[in-house]
Amino acid sequence: MSEPVKPELSQNKSAPARLYGWLDRRTGIGSLMHTSLDEPIPGGARLAYVFGSGLIFIFISQVITGLCLALYYVPSAETAHTSVAYITKQVAAGAFLRSLHYYGSSAMIVVLLLHFLQTFLYGSFKGRRELLWASGALLSFLVLAMGFTGYLLPWDQKAYFATAVGTNIVGEVPLVGEWLTRLLRGGDTLGTLTLSRFYVAHLFLIPGAIFLFIAVHIALFRKAGPAGPINEDPVHPKLAPEGFYPRQVIMDMAFALLLMIGLGILAFFHPVELGPVANPADTQFLPRPEWYYLSMFEWLKFWQGSMVVFAIVVIPGILALMFFLMPFLDRSLERRPWRRPIPLLGVSIVLLGMVYLGMKSHRDDERDPTTAAQIARQDAQEEAYSKAPFEPYVASPGGSAGAVAAASGPVNPVVGQGKGVFSANGCSGCHGETGMGTPAGPSLVGVTSKYPAEQLTEWLHNPNPKMRAGNMPAVDLSPSDMSALLSYLGVLGTSAANVPATYNAEQPKSAANGKEAPVAAKAAEAAPLSAKAAAGQQFFQSHACFACHGQAGIGTARVAPMAGLIAKHSDTQIAQLLHNPSAKMRAGGMAALDATPDQISSVVAYLRSLTSVPAGQSQQVAAAATAEAPVEQVANNAAPAPSAPNAASAPVAGVHAVTASAQPLPGRAVFVANGCAACHGTVGQGTHFAPALIGIDKKFSSTQLAAMIHHPTKKMRDGGMPSITVSDTEMQQLVAYLSSLGATPAPQSVATSQGAAPAANQATSAPVSASQVAAMTRAATEELKALPLSPEATLGKAVFQKYSCETCHGVGGLHGTVAAPGLAGTASILPSAMLENLLRHHSKKMQQGGMPLTNMNAQDMKEIVAYIRSMPMPKGGQ
């Protein structure tokens, strides 16, 4: 009979020892620690072996700091940037924590590269370690993917445009490139879906994969064992082994401590800056990736056209394959690098090439004055935003959300007036809507604390040379308006700046007597303009030329009217002066006009139009009335009055016409309800969006038409054609209606679909006279003013103006400009869901036409859709 087990003399052990013994008996922790720490290392511990442990330490640090940041981060296009700004500017030690995470990602790349070089130079991948190397190679790509997905999350300018470039590169992959881009972005453009996908990948998917392959990597490493020094046999080690503990553990901990100290110093003394919120419409921003992707960025500059496939897929694919297959390509057991010249030469060429390309990209940016100046402006904007006070994200009055601060306390009417002055004089075009700065102008936050009011007033009236070099015009304001503007500048960056603009522009005053400008000047401003002159007028307004030259170029107290200034010069001379102002013009604050030849030509055409004003006031009124009368009759589908024999009574040439008394077919209701009329015209005559459908029944049978409507071809989808899902009966009615469009129009007809739109936007129509275009635009604008808008549509109109949609689509977006089509009667009759989808995911035709990416929150999108759909149909459009 065996003796009973004697109880341990636990009373003679310390409390930690008793606790350890208790855990060991229940978990086997002692054997686990023995297996981990007593790993034999052939030849003993080495400083060269610390990089693997350093990588694990940095990864754990990244996980901890990333989880802390995730507590505050909100992954949506509306709130991501604000949440990062909150972390950086408001959370205790938030800037330090974010900087630690940012620098940690770069440190991980550096240590990963050192680990790779040590393993390669030591030949540690030899001797039955092929899978160990492959798992490490896969981990390397996962680390790079972590850097790429995390780069977008701040949602500032740099992050947005660098990610846009990165996803565009993916799109160059043959066959699946477009699909991969849409998969990454969650659609055609970067937005909330892109952020959510990158966030999930960065926080869950990729870290989970890294944890998995770290476990696989360590298991394979323990199975194969350490390779030891360079002169050791990788299969049958001969050197005396030494345990992992204590020497190698101490070395690894010392290296981890150095990493922690270095990252802490960087994060504390050089905190990471945050740039302004992403603005997809900014065409001047120059994106540059992080340093570890800079060589790839420079590499792509050497390839053009179809050869890009070799730069993106073929050559990188070959290098990646060789990277994975390294143990199979270098199979000898020789580990000394000087005895392996070919592998060493290949790796050296690749690494030195990457270093050279990265340095070349940086050097090229510094040598190009334009690029260097733009990057300097971007850095200055980033620094200014980082120093500006935090602005919380709130819904603006009326529900339109924006990253602006809510005004606390009563609204200051003087600040509201100053905000109106700021917007009315075009200041927001360069300095940003909230004065935070853009690539065209610096931030104005805190400017009143740097300079006295007298100095700012003087500079606004007479810009200094540096301001003039930045295209800053002189601002001619009354004392009250100047005081209000300075009050608004003083609260920029605070919640007090979030007030409604209350400024109402006064009537232009003549430079001579201060009275209201003569009727001739008003008539010149309202005179019918050609399409070219209309584009010039838009340029004149958008570049705030009126700040010096007055509305319609009538002059101000500082500058004479434009008509007299240009009367003695030819068009060529005027264009040259706009490009290179004379010394006198520069002394007066005139900066060189940075514009294309076509834009310069349009401005000259507009300036010339300002001179053709009849002498007498009565003649001016009569001319205006004569110009408007016939077009209003066309707009109202009425025959011309007998007193206007030259008025156009027939339909505009090239526009399909329908009999006024014709009864609409049942399919027409289906045609309009599904938004077909928005692109193809209200009677299928074709527009700038889509081709004419007249006579389509001669090209396709009813069955083919129904099939293409339900399943559009690739060419149709690229043009923005969606799949139309209707009942069989409605499909038959729609096909019957399309077949009826081939009928010969009756002689008594009226112009339809875009009849009131400018000729510049009618790709399939004959030119309409300039007087008709101008009068139609004025008539439709008046009609829109009289149209009662819902509260949501009213807010949408403000959103439309906020995103500068009028710059291309014209005032109110009704009739467009030479740059973009009008939305009344086209986009306005699209179903809400279809219109929102087009605004979020542009068709190829919209992209080719220069439509910038939209970055609207859900509320703004809902409101702008309501506004566009509230636009009236042109007369005769039904």
Side-chain angles (χ1 to χ4, degrees), residues 5-74:
V5 178
K6 296 181 180 180
E8 297 181 5
L9 300 176
S10 59
Q11 62 272 16
N12 297 327
K13 295 183 178 181
S14 62
R18 291 198 301 271
L19 176 61
Y20 180 82
W22 186 86
L23 288 173
D24 184 33
R25 289 190 296 273
R26 287 160 178 79
T27 63
I29 189 174
S31 60
L32 179 63
M33 295 295 291
H34 171 75
T35 303
S36 302
L37 297 179
D38 292 342
E39 173 192 1
I41 302 176
R46 296 283 193 282
L47 285 173
Y49 303 157
V50 302
F51 301 117
S53 300
L55 277 173
I56 294 177
F57 166 77
I58 298 176
F59 177 64
I60 294 173
S61 172
Q62 290 296 93
V63 169
I64 295 173
T65 55
L67 289 175
C68 292
L69 295 174
L71 295 175
Y72 299 94
Y73 184 75
V74 183

Side-chain angles (χ1 to χ4, degrees), residues 299-346:
W299 165 255
L300 294 176
K301 295 180 182 179
F302 294 95
W303 305 83
Q304 299 293 333
S306 59
M307 299 300 292
V308 171
V309 175
F310 287 90
I312 295 175
V313 180
V314 178
I315 297 177
I318 293 174
L319 292 177
L321 187 62
M322 293 177 66
F323 180 48
F324 273 92
L325 298 180
M326 181 74 73
F328 300 96
L329 298 175
D330 186 9
R331 298 190 58 82
S332 71
L333 295 182
E334 177 59 58
R335 297 177 57 189
R336 290 168 292 187
W338 54 87
R339 295 291 184 90
R340 298 182 288 133
I342 295 179
L344 183 64
L345 180 62

Side-chain angles (χ1 to χ4, degrees), residues 208-260:
I210 289 178
F211 272 118
L212 173 63
F213 281 98
I214 284 177
V216 171
H217 192 68
I218 292 176
L220 291 172
F221 177 75
R222 297 305 300 269
K223 174 66 178 176
I230 292 178
N231 56 352
E232 178 63 286
D233 188 323
V235 179
H236 302 291
K238 298 180 177 58
L239 296 176
E242 179 185 352
F244 181 72
Y245 179 83
R247 287 184 65 218
Q248 192 62 52
V249 170
I250 294 174
M251 290 181 184
D252 289 354
M253 292 179 64
F255 181 63
L257 181 63
L258 288 176
L259 287 174
M260 184 168 60

Side-chain angles (χ1 to χ4, degrees), residues 844-858:
K844 285 192 175 180
K845 183 173 286 188
M846 294 167 68
Q847 295 173 12
Q848 293 168 357
M851 175 74 174
L853 300 176
T854 48
N855 178 28
M856 298 183 188
N857 57 54

Side-chain angles (χ1 to χ4, degrees), residues 75 85-86 169 173 179 181 211 280 315 333 517 524 545 564 590 673 718 734 791 877:
Y86 179 76
I169 292 174
V173 177
W179 177 81
T181 301
F211 272 118
I315 297 177
L333 295 182
C545 304
M590 176 68 183
D718 290 345
L734 178 58

Side-chain angles (χ1 to χ4, degrees), residues 656 658-659 662-678 680-685 693 729-741 752-754 825 829 873-874 876-878:
H656 182 60
V658 294
T659 306
Q663 295 296 323
L665 296 174
R668 173 163 175 75
V670 182
F671 184 82
V672 174
N674 285 275
C676 309
H680 293 285
T682 52
V683 288
Q685 83 282 3
L693 299 176
T729 301
E730 290 176 326
M731 181 63 77
Q732 292 175 1
Q733 294 173 346
L734 178 58
V735 171
Y737 174 69
L738 295 179
S739 300
S740 73
L741 296 179
T752 60
S753 180
Q754 306 288 333
I829 60 176
M873 283 290 296
Q878 297 294 342

Side-chain angles (χ1 to χ4, degrees), residues 348-708:
S348 300
I349 290 174
V350 173
L351 291 180
L352 291 176
M354 293 174 63
V355 172
Y356 168 75
L357 289 173
M359 294 177 62
K360 183 179 185 302
S361 177
H362 184 70
R363 187 175 65 252
D364 289 347
D365 286 345
E366 290 182 336
R367 289 181 176 179
D368 184 358
T370 304
T371 302
Q374 176 62 29
I375 292 179
R377 282 195 294 269
Q378 293 171 187
D379 292 342
Q381 291 163 19
E382 190 174 88
E383 182 181 0
Y385 182 85
S386 297
K387 293 180 179 179
F390 171 68
E391 295 184 17
Y393 174 87
V394 295
S396 60
S400 180
V404 295
S408 57
V411 173
N412 187 338
V414 178
V415 173
Q417 181 185 358
K419 187 175 183 179
V421 175
F422 187 84
S423 299
N425 285 273
C427 308
S428 57
C430 292
H431 298 286
E433 187 179 0
T434 58
M436 288 294 180
T438 71
S443 171
L444 298 177
V445 175
V447 69
T448 55
S449 62
K450 297 179 181 179
Y451 306 103
E454 297 78 10
Q455 182 69 69
L456 290 174
T457 302
E458 174 61 25
W459 281 344
L460 287 170
H461 279 307
N462 299 290
N464 60 34
K466 184 177 180 180
M467 296 165 67
R468 289 199 298 270
N471 297 329
M472 171 70 183
V475 181
D476 187 23
L477 297 175
S478 65
S480 60
D481 285 349
M482 183 64 75
S483 176
L485 177 60
L486 294 178
S487 298
Y488 176 64
L489 295 180
V491 298
L492 286 178
T494 69
S495 60
N498 185 37
V499 297
T502 58
Y503 176 70
N504 293 318
E506 300 176 358
Q507 293 293 332
K509 306 293 182 180
S510 66
N513 52 22
K515 296 180 180 180
E516 187 175 329
V519 179
K522 294 183 179 179
E525 184 178 359
L529 299 175
S530 65
K532 189 174 185 179
Q537 182 186 38
Q538 180 183 344
F539 192 94
F540 187 88
Q541 294 291 334
S542 64
H543 285 67
C545 304
F546 57 82
C548 292
H549 296 284
Q551 295 292 341
I554 62 172
T556 62
R558 297 179 62 250
V559 183
M562 290 298 302
L565 292 175
I566 67 172
K568 298 180 180 180
H569 299 282
S570 65
D571 290 355
T572 303
Q573 290 174 324
I574 296 173
Q576 291 175 347
L577 286 172
L578 291 175
H579 266 307
N580 299 294
S582 64
K584 183 177 180 180
M585 294 166 66
R586 291 182 182 276
M590 176 68 183
L593 200 59
D594 184 15
T596 64
D598 288 341
Q599 289 173 326
I600 291 288
S601 179
S602 66
V603 172
V604 173
Y606 172 61
L607 298 181
R608 286 298 185 199
S609 72
L610 301 180
T611 64
S612 56
V613 181
Q617 176 177 336
S618 60
Q619 292 176 343
Q620 297 161 9
V621 178
T626 303
E628 293 181 13
V631 184
E632 289 179 355
Q633 293 162 357
V634 173
N636 291 307
N637 301 323
S643 59
N646 295 325
S649 59
V652 176
V655 179
H656 182 60
V658 294
T659 306
S661 60
Q663 295 296 323
L665 296 174
R668 173 163 175 75
V670 182
F671 184 82
V672 174
N674 285 275
C676 309
C679 295
H680 293 285
T682 52
V683 288
Q685 83 282 3
T687 69
H688 40 266
F689 286 119
L693 299 176
I694 299 168
I696 196 171
D697 59 318
K698 303 297 190 298
K699 300 179 181 178
F700 305 99
S701 65
S702 298
T703 304
Q704 289 174 318
L705 280 176
M708 288 192 299

Side-chain angles (χ1 to χ4, degrees), residues 240-302:
E242 179 185 352
F244 181 72
Y245 179 83
R247 287 184 65 218
Q248 192 62 52
V249 170
I250 294 174
M251 290 181 184
D252 289 354
M253 292 179 64
F255 181 63
L257 181 63
L258 288 176
L259 287 174
M260 184 168 60
I261 293 173
L263 292 175
I265 291 174
L266 277 175
F268 185 80
F269 290 102
H270 298 281
V272 179
E273 294 179 338
L274 177 67
V277 65
N279 177 18
D282 187 352
T283 58
Q284 294 181 306
F285 191 88
L286 295 179
R288 292 294 182 269
E290 274 297 289
W291 64 269
Y292 41 85
Y293 283 120
L294 197 59
S295 57
M296 184 64 178
F297 173 79
E298 183 67 21
W299 165 255
L300 294 176
K301 295 180 182 179
F302 294 95

